[in-house]
Amino acid sequence: RTLPEATLVAAPATRAYLEALPQTRVVESLLLCHGLDTDDMAGLRPHDEGYALEVNTEVAKLVGKHAIVVAGHTHHRMIRTIGATVFVNPGTLYRAHEPGFMLLDTATRTVEIHRFDPAGATHHRLDDRFP
């Protein structure tokens, strides 16, 4: 990758392992992917409405196909329901862009949102329940 700070240089064995991972993973009715399904560059943002959603064919293909889609790419933290599908984006770990992560519990249908403070020493927990 030619983007600055996009990927750290990894040992050859580590890089081979990462390259061998599947593009997507389905666990019951939950889809894990980077972009949207097999399109690594497709994304859904929290503010996408109207025309932006109408022309997003990757979102349209996933609505109703999976109960939950966990995707990233945009780095915008989000929990959003479209039709019968909940889209979850945990955000980013990149320090300059509000780093954090999410813990998703499909049994209780809750998400714990963890945000790191600027010093990186602590986190804040916010619970959110999704439909």
Side-chain angles (χ1 to χ4, degrees):
R1 305 256 290 187
T2 58
L3 298 174
E5 301 178 17
T7 306
L8 297 175
V9 176
T14 302
R15 187 165 187 89
Y17 169 78
L18 293 172
E19 289 174 351
L21 292 173
Q23 216 173 1
T24 64
R25 182 66 154 242
V26 176
V27 180
E28 296 179 18
S29 62
L30 183 142
L31 171 68
L32 298 170
C33 51
H34 174 257
L36 289 173
D37 202 14
T38 58
D39 187 340
D40 279 344
M41 299 310 289
L44 175 65
R45 290 170 178 76
H47 58 272
D48 287 350
E49 295 293 339
Y51 184 73
L53 281 180
E54 291 171 23
V55 298
N56 194 329
T57 57
E58 297 304 317
V59 168
K61 285 189 237 177
L62 296 173
V63 171
K65 183 176 178 184
H66 303 282
I68 303 169
V69 174
V70 178
H73 180 60
T74 66
H75 294 194
H76 293 276
R77 192 176 293 112
M78 170 185 76
I79 304 165
R80 182 169 181 187
T81 303
I82 300 174
T85 301
V86 177
F87 290 85
V88 177
N89 185 331
T92 184
L93 292 173
Y94 184 58
R95 290 182 188 185
H97 297 147
E98 298 180 25
F101 63 95
M102 292 183 180
L103 297 174
L104 174 84
D105 185 331
T106 57
T108 62
R109 299 190 69 79
T110 57
V111 175
E112 292 179 14
I113 302 168
H114 296 264
R115 295 184 177 128
F116 296 107
D117 72 11
T122 63
H123 67 268
H124 308 282
R125 177 179 161 176
L126 304 171
D127 289 329
D128 199 2
R129 191 170 292 275
F130 56 91

